């Protein structure tokens, strides 16, 4: 049974998302026959349709945190998963502050479409979706919202996902042993208030965590201008870990060693 990750879109940060210089929409994971949408940002539903993916087949939706570039399409994806609410099914995994409090992002009426089948993401969270284990690897540090790094284990393999966060000392340890490690890289330079990883942070993570393959994702304007593929090559050279930059619509067959995508410069993005 083939397992794969489809990168629906690789935009990160306000300017790249709102300009659609790169597509947004999150990731589609098909693992041991289970279909998972991870961080369904703006355009998730549209990108699924464009790429020939049937959103009615979703088994589970996972939010790492509630920021709009990660959660914008969560409600419409719940509708799609449940046949507009006429065929209630599926599971939502999300942090507590995306569900309750002053600023929830999951609409209450939509929750009935999955019969309230919501699992609250928190530290030490673990849930088995058939033969796929989903766990919170660690709580991340990002802009005063609950944010979690995640692991997906299936068929003897593990995918790690480091969502938006600043670097902290315990971060690499939480992702040791991953076969694939997806890392969001929004910026090239550090701005403390924005709490995002930059290339030197990722090099430090990879030197300590030693995943089989690292996949960079969620690129802000600084990274797009620098060329994500060029940055990936530099990170690989410094860390000694195979590193590739995700591309819009890229399908990563988890049964094969991934090839490095061809270089895509800013001029090519702009046509």
């Amino acid at each position: 049974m083939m397992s794969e990750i489809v990168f629906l879109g690789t935009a990160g940060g306000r300017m790249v998302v709102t300009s659609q210089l790169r597509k947004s929409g999150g990731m589609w994971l098909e693992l041991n026959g289970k279909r998972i949408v991870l961080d369904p940002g703006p355009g998730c539903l549209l990108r699924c349709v464009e790429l020939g993916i049937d959103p009615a087949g979703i088994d589970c939706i996972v939010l790492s945190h509630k920021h709009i570039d990660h959660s914008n399409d969560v409600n419409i994806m719940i509708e799609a998963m449940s046949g507009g609410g006429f065929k209630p099914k599926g599971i939502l995994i999300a942090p507590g502050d995306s569900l309750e409090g002053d600023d929830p992002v999951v609409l209450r009426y939509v929750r009935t479409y999955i019969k309230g089948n919501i699992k609250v993401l928190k530290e030490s969270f673990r849930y088995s979706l058939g033969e796929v284990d989903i766990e919170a690897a660690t709580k991340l540090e990002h802009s005063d919202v609950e944010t979690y790094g995640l692991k997906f284990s299936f068929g003897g393999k593990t995918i790690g996902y480091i969502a938006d966060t600043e670097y902290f000392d315990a971060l690499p340890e939480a992702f040791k042993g991953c076969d694939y490690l997806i890392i969001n890289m929004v910026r090239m330079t550090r701005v403390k208030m924005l709490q995002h990883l930059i290339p030197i942070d990722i090099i430090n993570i990879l030197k300590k965590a030693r995943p089989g393959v690292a996949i960079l994702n969620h690129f802000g304007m600084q990274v797009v201008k620098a060329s994500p593929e060029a940055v990936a090559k530099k990170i690989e050279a410094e860390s000694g870990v195979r590193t590739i930059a995700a591309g819009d619509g890229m399908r990563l067959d988890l049964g094969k060693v991934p090839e490095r995508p061809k270089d895509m410069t800013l001029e090519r993005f702009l046509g």
Side-chain angles (χ1 to χ4, degrees):
M1 186 180 298
M2 189 182 78
S3 293
E4 68 172 355
I5 304 170
V6 182
F7 292 86
L8 302 175
T10 58
R14 296 171 181 86
M15 300 312 296
V16 177
V17 172
T18 56
S19 67
Q20 288 292 285
L21 187 57
R22 279 198 168 205
K23 303 294 184 183
S24 51
M27 289 168 272
W28 173 279
L29 282 61
E30 188 153 351
L31 310 175
N32 275 5
K34 294 298 182 181
R35 299 172 180 89
I36 302 164
V37 170
L38 177 56
D39 280 355
C44 181
L45 178 64
L46 177 62
R47 292 294 291 154
C48 284
V49 173
E50 288 178 343
L51 294 170
I53 296 170
D54 181 6
I58 300 168
D59 296 297
C60 181
I61 298 169
V62 183
L63 297 185
S64 67
H65 64 294
K66 69 179 185 179
H67 281 161
I68 199 166
D69 52 339
H70 296 257
S71 69
N72 185 80
D73 273 21
V74 64
N75 294 295
I76 193 63
M77 295 308 289
I78 291 173
E79 285 207 343
M81 177 170 64
S82 62
F86 292 105
K87 298 178 181 178
K89 73 174 182 70
I91 295 162
L92 172 67
I93 299 173
D97 70 347
S98 67
L99 302 165
E100 306 297 338
D102 296 332
D103 231 2
V105 296
V106 183
L107 298 174
R108 296 189 186 280
Y109 84 87
V110 172
R111 302 180 197 191
T112 65
Y113 297 172
I114 52 175
K115 297 183 177 179
N117 202 354
I118 298 171
K119 311 299 180 185
V120 179
L121 190 56
K122 54 189 175 182
E123 292 183 271
S124 301
F125 173 89
R126 191 178 184 94
Y127 179 76
S128 292
L129 181 70
E131 297 180 4
V132 180
D133 290 330
I134 303 171
E135 64 178 296
T138 187
K139 190 173 185 180
L140 302 178
E141 298 180 7
H142 181 58
S143 303
D144 297 322
V145 297
E146 272 193 88
T147 309
Y148 293 92
L150 299 157
K151 286 183 179 178
F152 301 83
S153 300
F154 62 101
K157 294 183 179 180
T158 300
I159 300 168
Y161 172 46
I162 302 179
D164 298 352
T165 186
E166 67 179 1
Y167 185 86
F168 54 96
D169 289 341
L171 187 56
E173 184 69 28
F175 291 92
K176 280 188 174 180
C178 291
D179 297 281
Y180 299 88
L181 183 55
I182 303 166
I183 307 176
N184 286 359
M185 185 178 67
V186 177
R187 295 185 56 83
M188 295 293 292
T189 59
R190 195 181 314 283
V191 175
K192 180 66 175 176
M193 63 179 289
L194 296 180
Q195 293 187 295
H196 284 294
L197 297 173
I198 62 173
I200 188 61
D201 298 326
I202 294 172
I203 291 167
N204 289 334
I205 290 168
L206 297 183
K207 283 181 175 179
K208 296 173 183 177
R210 308 304 301 176
V213 178
I215 307 105
L216 307 181
N217 189 36
H218 204 59
F219 307 123
M221 190 64 76
Q222 286 187 343
V223 182
V224 171
K225 288 181 177 179
S227 172
E229 292 74 21
V231 177
K233 289 179 182 178
K234 291 179 181 178
I235 289 174
E236 179 175 308
E238 289 291 326
S239 68
V241 173
R242 178 71 183 280
T243 305
I244 62 175
D248 293 344
M250 185 178 86
R251 291 177 180 263
L252 184 61
D253 184 341
L254 300 177
K256 298 179 180 179
V257 177
E259 296 180 2
R260 183 179 286 107
K262 294 179 181 179
D263 188 44
M264 297 173 70
T265 63
L266 180 63
E267 289 73 25
R268 185 172 173 186
F269 289 135
L270 293 172

